[in-house]
Amino acid sequence: MLYLFLFFFQLNASVGADYWIDNAYKYKDHRAKSIQAKKIIIIGGSNALFGINSNIIEHVTGYPGVNLETHAGWDIDHF
């Protein structure tokens, strides 16, 4: 019973573990804007963050790659 109470108590609680995401987006935005040539920009969910290596894409294609994803849980209002 205590487990169920604690489970429902934690729903919609703020989680302080996402503090790094804002800095990551600032860095990635700066990196993308600093490349003046043609580039490959990767946009997706967290699967793009963990599943796509922009260094490999850059090596294969010859174009700089920028992976803009960090977290799929952000609401569109965050931007």
Side-chain angles (χ1 to χ4, degrees):
M1 185 68 163
L2 178 62
Y3 173 79
L4 289 174
F5 171 75
L6 292 174
F7 174 78
F8 286 107
F9 181 73
Q10 63 87 32
L11 292 177
N12 296 323
S14 63
V15 178
D18 293 340
Y19 59 88
W20 60 274
I21 294 175
D22 189 46
N23 288 333
Y25 272 119
K26 287 178 184 176
Y27 169 76
K28 291 176 180 230
D29 186 52
H30 173 73
R31 166 114 166 91
K33 288 179 180 177
S34 68
I35 301 171
Q36 298 301 315
K38 289 183 179 181
K39 58 189 161 255
I40 297 174
I41 297 178
I42 301 156
I43 300 173
S46 56
N47 59 334
L49 172 64
F50 299 113
I52 298 175
N53 187 331
S54 57
N55 291 329
I56 293 173
I57 291 176
E58 184 172 341
H59 177 72
V60 171
T61 64
Y63 293 106
V66 180
N67 189 341
L68 292 182
E69 274 316 310
T70 55
H71 197 283
W74 280 111
D75 190 36
I76 194 72
D77 296 333
H78 175 73
F79 304 101

